[in-house]
Amino acid sequence: LAASVAVTSDGGRARNRFVAAGPGGELVTYDKRHPFTYADEHLEFEPGDELVSFEIDGLRVTPFVCYDLRFGDDFWVQGPATDLFVVPANWPERRRRHWSALLVARAIENQCYVVGCNRVGNADGLDYSGDSAIVDPLGEVLATASGTETVLLADVTAERVAEVRAAFPFLQDRR
């Protein structure tokens, strides 16, 4: 079970925190590294400073939050040791093409799964279309949904990530 929530940091400012609870009661947190300055988020939220990964049922998982999706360099750092990126988000409908394209790009360039969970509905004059998706290591969208709250399901395995990386050993060429 995973979500992102606003929490108060030790310094008294807010942080946008990813929280995951594992089946054995494990708790993992990651603080969003890139506040969305375009909407003045940096005035209220302080950035996190660490990249985080964890393992669940043999799957190496790395979380990011929302706007972090635009910063491929962070994904590249974690990519070789990641089977699945998870990105909860709050992307408005008017940038839905960016959201969808970046989910696929992160999967292709890191040869791993990407799960993007985006809000739906409207608030503060903005519409949110969802466009949540599960993308495989070759960039194929395995499941997606727009405009409604729903549950998406797809099989994701570390073995498939290893197969793709062995067949197309592109990650070794990064510098």
Side-chain angles (χ1 to χ4, degrees), residues 32 53 59 80 87 98 100 116-117 119 123 128 138 155 171:
K32 180 180 175 183
S53 291
L59 204 64
V87 187
H98 297 199
S100 296
C117 180
R119 79 180 283 185
Y128 299 89
L138 293 173
D155 290 327
L171 295 184

Side-chain angles (χ1 to χ4, degrees), residues 12-78:
R13 292 181 63 202
R15 286 192 177 212
N16 192 338
R17 180 165 290 165
F18 172 94
V19 179
E26 309 88 347
L27 190 65
V28 176
T29 63
Y30 159 80
D31 291 336
K32 180 180 175 183
R33 290 172 42 92
H34 302 280
F36 187 44
T37 56
Y38 179 75
D40 291 331
E41 189 176 66
H42 65 292
L43 300 176
E44 302 294 328
F45 289 84
E46 70 181 17
D49 55 5
E50 293 183 38
L51 297 171
V52 173
S53 291
F54 59 96
E55 189 171 311
I56 185 165
D57 292 336
L59 204 64
R60 301 169 303 167
V61 180
T62 300
F64 285 102
V65 175
C66 200
Y67 185 56
D68 287 340
L69 185 62
R70 287 196 179 271
F71 298 89
D73 53 330
D74 285 345
F75 284 77
W76 275 39
V77 167
Q78 296 297 97

Side-chain angles (χ1 to χ4, degrees), residues 4 8-10 17 23 26 29 57 64 87 96 124 130 135 163:
S4 68
T8 303
S9 72
D10 294 338
R17 180 165 290 165
E26 309 88 347
T29 63
D57 292 336
F64 285 102
V87 187
R96 72 190 296 194
D124 300 322
V135 185
E163 287 171 11

Side-chain angles (χ1 to χ4, degrees), residues 36 64-73 75-76 85-87 89 91-92 95-117 131-141:
F36 187 44
F64 285 102
V65 175
C66 200
Y67 185 56
D68 287 340
L69 185 62
R70 287 196 179 271
F71 298 89
D73 53 330
F75 284 77
W76 275 39
F85 287 116
V86 178
V87 187
W91 282 56
R95 286 189 294 279
R96 72 190 296 194
R97 289 184 190 266
H98 297 199
W99 164 254
S100 296
L102 289 169
L103 290 174
V104 171
R106 298 297 166 253
I108 291 170
E109 69 192 6
N110 292 289
Q111 298 177 304
C112 65
Y113 293 96
V114 176
V115 172
C117 180
D131 299 306
S132 295
I134 302 171
V135 185
D136 82 358
L138 293 173
E140 296 297 321
V141 177

